[in-house]
Amino acid sequence: MALMKIKFDLKKRVKLAQFVWFLYWFSVMAGVLVLSMGLFFKIELRKRSELMDNNESHFLPNLLIFVGFIACGINAFGGKVCYDSLDPTKFAKWQPMLKPFLMSCVGFNVLLFLTALLCFVMRIPLQFTLAEGLKNGMKFYKDTDTPGRCYMKRTLDLMQIEFRCCGNNNYRDWFEIQWVSNRYLDFSAKAVKDRIGSNVDGQYLMDGVPFSCCNPSSPRPCIQGKMTNNSAHYSYDHYTEDLNVWKRGCREAMLSYYGGLMNTIGALVLLVTILEVAVMIGLQYVNTSLSTLANPEDPESESEGWILEKTMKETFTDIMATMKNMGKGNQVDEGAEAGVATVS
């Protein structure tokens, strides 16, 4: 027994073909939107690729661009088929292709669904990528004279200003690295010698942060140096004072931005997947309703359309049986080849 069987006359078939045609071209625009979101996401990642530990983060935007492009092609083809279904002579040339096309649509919809899931789960690896990338980027902040790293100071400063953040986890991360270039240190000064000598790695560490950590909304002039020295500033206590630098770490800020972007894209791809399933079912009804005309010579005769020719259980059983037969066929072929090899 067919799954969700519906009877059609000419008027219903025409309305169905027109409606599915409209949905297909709407789906083309949805494919363009997915492709555009993939391009936008890729551009946003490239802006701060120096602060990410690997290039694997570009897999998702590349996948979005790919599925968006494929969606445009599949839906344009489906729209053409629905348009030609209004003319039986034109539709006849498409009928042999429809079964393979619908099977490919099933596979594409599975790919779309997996892409949507990836948008939600990629937040976890992105967190580690950002943590390691920011940690390395902060180490290179001072290397303004080193080829290949001279841009890192500008990149980090712009990022901290844009995302209103400071450091990797928080502003104290800057206390643990030397972020001032040796070029700007007076090594003849006792204070500099003492500070470098007090550090086992010979680095110039201090309780200060770059200017880009300053919060411009604070009424007090920015205290970005000697932040833990209460006597260095008037009416100041770093334990209780509301610091006028950004307290949120940049890893959290960027993860929030990119995570929100991926969640939005994931929800969009899920909606596109639902739309793709709907147009696939619509095309199946168009195909079966035209293939089962009571009188093929009379376009006005009644017909029946369905989603599956058999029930879900019967269809699943048939698929499993086909797969088993294919497996047995491969085993027979391998056995025959082994026998030939033995005879030789």
Side-chain angles (χ1 to χ4, degrees):
M1 182 178 178
L3 179 66
M4 297 185 70
K5 185 187 291 185
I6 300 176
K7 289 188 176 182
F8 290 91
D9 55 21
L10 177 62
K11 187 176 180 181
K12 284 184 178 180
R13 284 195 299 270
V14 170
K15 284 186 176 180
L16 174 66
Q18 290 175 338
F19 180 67
V20 177
W21 174 85
F22 171 78
L23 284 183
Y24 261 120
W25 287 106
F26 186 74
S27 298
V28 170
M29 291 186 284
V32 172
L33 181 60
V34 172
L35 190 151
S36 301
M37 291 298 288
L39 287 171
F40 174 74
F41 190 27
K42 190 174 182 68
I43 292 169
E44 286 298 296
L45 287 174
R46 278 193 177 277
K47 284 181 183 177
R48 303 167 190 94
S49 58
E50 306 91 356
L51 303 176
M52 297 184 184
D53 188 44
N54 54 54
N55 293 322
E56 294 174 7
S57 53
H58 290 275
F59 171 76
L60 182 58
N62 289 338
L63 181 60
L64 288 167
I65 293 169
F66 173 74
V67 297
F69 182 77
I70 296 300
C72 292
I74 284 178
N75 292 318
F77 179 81
K80 173 63 176 172
V81 171
C82 286
Y83 181 80
D84 286 349
S85 68
L86 298 174
D87 185 344
T89 56
K90 289 183 179 180
F91 182 72
K93 67 180 180 181
W94 299 117
Q95 275 191 310
M97 307 179 194
L98 283 183
K99 189 172 182 179
F101 175 71
L102 288 167
M103 291 298 293
S104 66
C105 287
V106 172
F108 177 68
N109 289 337
V110 172
L111 177 61
L112 267 180
F113 181 71
L114 293 176
T115 303
L117 288 183
L118 273 178
C119 289
F120 295 114
V121 302
M122 281 295 285
R123 182 187 179 97
I124 298 171
L126 182 63
Q127 180 176 357
F128 296 104
T129 296
L130 286 171
E132 194 63 27
L134 284 167
K135 183 180 177 181
N136 293 331
M138 289 172 65
K139 289 179 182 177
F140 303 144
Y141 182 89
K142 68 180 187 303
D143 297 339
T144 52
D145 298 325
T146 306
R149 297 178 185 172
C150 54
Y151 56 83
M152 190 57 72
K153 178 182 181 300
R154 180 177 181 275
T155 300
L156 276 167
D157 282 333
L158 290 175
M159 181 264 298
Q160 290 190 144
I161 292 170
E162 181 180 354
F163 286 93
R164 299 183 175 187
C165 59
C166 186
N168 190 345
N169 297 306
N170 55 58
Y171 68 93
R172 288 184 173 273
D173 292 332
W174 289 107
F175 297 178
E176 300 171 3
I177 62 169
Q178 178 181 335
W179 54 271
V180 177
S181 173
N182 289 339
R183 181 181 179 183
Y184 305 107
L185 294 176
D186 181 7
F187 287 93
S188 62
K190 185 178 182 301
V192 174
K193 289 180 180 179
D194 291 345
R195 191 174 290 273
I196 292 175
S198 64
N199 183 263
V200 291
D201 295 325
Q203 292 186 337
Y204 183 78
L205 304 183
M206 58 181 180
D207 54 346
V209 297
F211 78 97
S212 52
C213 284
C214 293
N215 181 355
S217 300
S218 173
R220 180 170 188 157
C222 186
I223 297 175
Q224 64 181 102
K226 298 181 180 179
M227 296 177 66
T228 59
N229 187 352
N230 292 339
S231 61
H233 310 284
Y234 176 73
S235 185
Y236 175 76
D237 183 353
H238 77 278
Y239 289 110
T240 58
E241 182 80 5
D242 186 13
L243 297 175
N244 49 12
V245 297
W246 302 114
K247 294 181 180 180
R248 186 167 69 156
C250 292
R251 177 172 59 86
E252 180 189 345
M254 292 180 71
L255 188 63
S256 175
Y257 172 71
Y258 286 118
L261 189 58
M262 287 190 293
N263 288 342
T264 302
I265 295 174
L268 170 68
V269 176
L270 275 179
L271 291 175
V272 173
T273 304
I274 294 170
L275 179 62
E276 291 290 342
V277 171
V279 293
M280 181 184 68
I281 292 172
L283 183 60
Q284 172 68 352
Y285 272 119
V286 170
N287 180 35
T288 52
S289 64
L290 288 171
S291 302
T292 58
L293 287 170
N295 181 9
E297 302 296 329
D298 180 14
E300 296 187 5
S301 60
E302 291 189 346
S303 62
E304 293 179 340
W306 55 76
I307 297 177
L308 294 174
E309 193 171 358
K310 300 178 181 179
T311 63
M312 290 284 289
K313 184 179 179 180
E314 291 172 339
T315 303
F316 179 76
T317 303
D318 289 347
I319 292 172
M320 293 303 295
T322 303
M323 291 177 68
K324 285 181 180 178
N325 290 333
M326 289 175 65
K328 288 179 181 178
N330 291 334
Q331 289 176 0
V332 170
D333 291 341
E334 288 175 2
E337 289 176 3
V340 171
T342 303
V343 172
S344 302

